[in-house]
Amino acid sequence: MKICTACQNEQAEGNFCGKCGNPLEESAATTKGETVATSEAIPEPEKASANATAQQASPQTNEQIELLKIESKAYVNYFLEKLKIPSYESNFKNSLISIAIFLVLSAIGIFAYVKNMTSGYIALSFFSIFMSLVIFFTLMIFVSILSIFLTTSLGENKPPFKVIIKKYGNYFPTAVSLTIIGLILILVKSNNVGIFLISLGITIVITVIPLYLATKYIQTLSFKLDKFYMFLIFLAVQIILYIILFTVLADNLLGQIQSYFPYFYF
């Protein structure tokens, strides 16, 4: 029921009073009745279930946040320890986290550098360039790990593929640190020094770490061939895999370059 505040006329429908034309308001009794009806419309079991679900969700969320804090703190401690002692052994999870951080930061750093150097003259798609760089670096890392795995497969007591990944990612914190510093410098427009540090980090990941790991495995494992020849085999395997990789990616890479520089033809 609606009531007119001017003449106290009550009517069931309409927004204005039928007598004086003043705007109508809902009566307090009606509003209260609707509230009570709405409250009574919800069954008690459903209310209890909703309350129980809300109470369960809150502790679970808090537990997840606390777990994330613990994991983050543990990785930071591991990261700092690796900077002091690069040969310090880690678990598989920390190695994967280091690899993932390096892929993300290096891709962002290169995109920021290209954007700074083009000064907005070319419309760059962040997602496209970012994903292309992440995939490209991932494939290069995979080639390096596969080269080590294929080489060590020729020896006795060859290490599992997962162990090679763990040991490979074990040396990433140094490259990650250089990439972080390089990215910060690029963001403050110190482009040349920034891209140099990022390039140095990429060089460590793509060349230094696999050479170091391959050498360690060749020195510790037993092979039928001389260790010098095993090292040459590793280099040959790595070069062949890189040639295959670049041959497959060449057309796609040239197509992307031409999309940003349409006046150049290849």
Side-chain angles (χ1 to χ4, degrees):
M1 186 64 68
K2 298 181 178 181
I3 187 170
C4 177
T5 57
C7 65
Q8 305 302 316
N9 176 47
E10 295 183 358
Q11 62 185 63
E13 298 178 354
N15 296 325
F16 298 93
C17 179
K19 289 186 176 181
C20 66
N22 195 60
L24 298 175
E25 294 181 358
E26 294 284 349
S27 65
T30 303
T31 304
K32 181 177 180 181
E34 290 177 353
T35 304
V36 173
T38 302
S39 176
E40 291 177 351
I42 302 176
E44 289 299 326
E46 292 186 8
K47 290 182 181 179
S49 176
N51 292 334
T53 303
Q55 292 175 358
Q56 292 176 358
S58 180
Q60 289 178 355
T61 303
N62 293 334
E63 289 178 2
Q64 292 175 353
I65 294 175
E66 290 299 323
L67 180 62
L68 181 61
K69 290 180 179 178
I70 294 173
E71 293 288 343
S72 301
K73 185 177 180 180
Y75 178 78
V76 170
N77 293 334
Y78 151 79
F79 188 88
L80 296 176
E81 187 68 24
K82 287 294 299 179
L83 291 179
K84 293 187 293 184
I85 309 175
S87 298
Y88 169 75
E89 286 292 333
S90 68
N91 55 44
F92 182 72
K93 182 174 64 176
N94 286 336
S95 295
L96 286 182
I97 293 174
S98 298
I99 294 174
I101 292 174
F102 171 79
L103 291 172
V104 171
L105 294 181
S106 59
I108 294 175
I110 293 175
F111 173 83
Y113 172 78
V114 173
K115 185 176 181 181
N116 288 347
M117 297 305 293
T118 55
S119 302
Y121 292 112
I122 302 174
L124 301 175
S125 171
F126 171 77
F127 182 78
S128 176
I129 295 177
F130 173 80
M131 290 305 301
S132 298
L133 290 171
V134 168
I135 293 172
F136 178 69
F137 289 138
T138 301
L139 291 174
M140 294 188 71
I141 291 172
F142 175 76
V143 165
S144 298
I145 296 173
L146 183 60
S147 302
I148 298 172
F149 178 75
L150 293 176
T151 303
T152 55
S153 297
L154 301 175
E156 299 178 0
N157 300 322
K158 62 180 182 180
F161 195 77
K162 183 177 180 180
V163 172
I164 297 177
I165 295 175
K166 185 189 78 170
K167 289 186 175 295
Y168 193 91
N170 196 44
Y171 296 98
F172 267 60
T174 302
V176 171
S177 300
L178 293 172
T179 306
I180 291 174
I181 298 172
L183 176 58
I184 294 173
L185 291 175
I186 290 175
L187 293 177
V188 297
K189 306 301 182 181
S190 183
N191 297 311
N192 293 332
V193 179
I195 197 62
F196 170 77
L197 293 178
I198 292 177
S199 301
L200 183 59
I202 295 172
T203 303
I204 292 173
V205 166
I206 303 302
T207 60
V208 176
I209 295 177
L211 285 172
Y212 177 74
L213 269 183
T215 303
K216 284 188 65 176
Y217 276 123
I218 291 172
Q219 291 295 330
T220 55
L221 298 179
S222 298
F223 297 93
K224 293 181 178 180
L225 294 176
D226 185 79
K227 296 184 183 298
F228 175 73
Y229 290 121
M230 291 307 305
F231 185 74
L232 293 180
I233 289 174
F234 164 73
L235 292 179
V237 170
Q238 190 176 37
I239 291 172
I240 291 172
L241 291 177
Y242 274 133
I243 291 175
I244 296 173
L245 175 63
F246 286 118
T247 302
V248 172
L249 297 179
D251 291 338
N252 183 39
L253 180 61
L254 291 177
Q256 288 191 8
I257 293 175
Q258 188 171 350
S259 67
Y260 290 113
F261 303 93
Y263 298 105
F264 290 89
Y265 296 92
F266 302 91

